[in-house]
Amino acid sequence: MRNACLVVVDAQNDFMPGGALAVPGGDEVVPVINRLAARFENVVLTQDWHPRGHASFASSHPGTKPFEVIQLHYGKQVLWPDHCVQGTAGAAIHSQLDVQKAQLVIRKGHHRGIDSYSAFLEADRKTATGLKGYLKEREIERLLLCGLATDFCVAWTALDARSAGFETTVIEDACRAIDLEGSLGRAWSDMTKAGVRRAQSAAL
Ligand code: VGL
Ligand code: ZN
């Protein structure tokens, strides 16, 4: 699979049970991803990496609460509890994730005023992370996505991967979702429409 790359999205402590923005069952993906990663020559990780006072934090907008939606200069933004603050234990990749072979870690969400669910383009839909250029230069054509959360960072990354021309598959049992007011169902329907494939790890 020289032209394929496994992209492990945000497998970080703050998205695990007990973390600041815990995704139900988030830790269950770790052994599944470890089994998958053993079979890939190319592995890339993403890491949500926010400065203190980030625009996606409810704590940065007095009078708001986590999970409310507000309007920012680039459009709608869900407000989250403070999470994945640069350099904190919560921002670290899960210690059981066997990622020694990963060749690149894309850190995203580091501009204070712009969120970035996608590993390709920030929420202003203009600022690129550089991942597309990296993968194209490595002649990668197929992306297999796993990690957290299915309906936010995995889905946005998958949709942008399709726009960038990659054959894209989301490995469902290697992901877990936040599922805010139907967001998981919407994410799957958007991904299916965009030509993202849905697979189970056992079938790969
Ligand atoms: C994520 C919400 C906020 C994710 C990151 O990794 O899906 N979700 N920041
Ligand atoms: Zn975030």
Side-chain angles (χ1 to χ4, degrees):
M1 292 197 285
R2 291 198 53 239
N3 67 350
C5 181
L6 183 71
V7 180
V8 181
V9 176
D10 297 3
Q12 293 166 262
N13 293 330
D14 270 342
F15 298 121
M16 302 292 166
L21 177 39
V23 179
D27 53 341
E28 293 165 12
V29 303
V30 172
V32 183
I33 295 172
N34 288 342
R35 281 196 294 276
L36 281 166
R39 298 166 46 195
F40 281 81
E41 213 170 300
N42 305 299
V43 178
V44 166
L45 309 179
T46 75
Q47 193 171 21
D48 213 35
W49 196 248
H50 301 307
R52 284 178 203 289
H54 190 250
S56 75
F57 297 169
S59 64
S60 304
H61 306 275
T64 67
K65 287 202 275 307
F67 310 107
E68 278 178 25
V69 178
I70 63 162
Q71 196 70 31
L72 292 184
H73 60 96
Y74 51 77
K76 284 197 175 135
Q77 172 68 48
V78 181
L79 295 177
W80 304 104
D82 292 22
H83 66 280
C84 297
V85 173
Q86 295 171 1
T88 61
I93 304 287
H94 191 287
S95 64
Q96 299 300 304
L97 199 78
D98 189 9
V99 287
Q100 317 329 318
K101 72 195 289 185
Q103 298 149 358
L104 176 74
V105 181
I106 283 280
R107 287 175 164 170
K108 58 185 183 57
H110 51 78
H111 291 119
R112 185 179 302 271
I114 317 174
D115 204 3
S116 192
Y117 298 144
S118 164
F120 289 97
L121 274 186
E122 300 188 13
D124 61 0
R125 312 313 291 148
K126 287 199 278 277
T127 309
T129 64
L131 181 58
K132 175 178 166 181
Y134 171 86
L135 294 170
K136 297 276 178 190
E137 198 163 8
R138 299 280 314 278
E139 298 182 352
I140 302 289
E141 294 167 2
R142 284 180 65 205
L143 299 185
L144 291 102
L145 269 54
C146 57
L148 308 171
T150 324
D151 42 347
F152 288 92
C153 292
V154 174
W156 283 56
T157 299
L159 293 170
D160 283 351
R162 289 295 299 140
S163 302
F166 296 101
E167 187 192 315
T168 308
T169 301
V170 170
I171 308 166
E172 188 172 15
D173 58 313
C175 299
R176 289 292 183 279
I178 297 174
D179 204 8
L180 263 190
E181 297 175 18
S183 57
L184 180 60
R186 278 199 304 281
W188 278 119
S189 87
D190 292 348
M191 288 194 283
T192 303
K193 259 184 244 153
V196 175
R197 296 189 186 153
R198 181 173 181 167
Q200 308 302 318
S201 61
L204 289 175

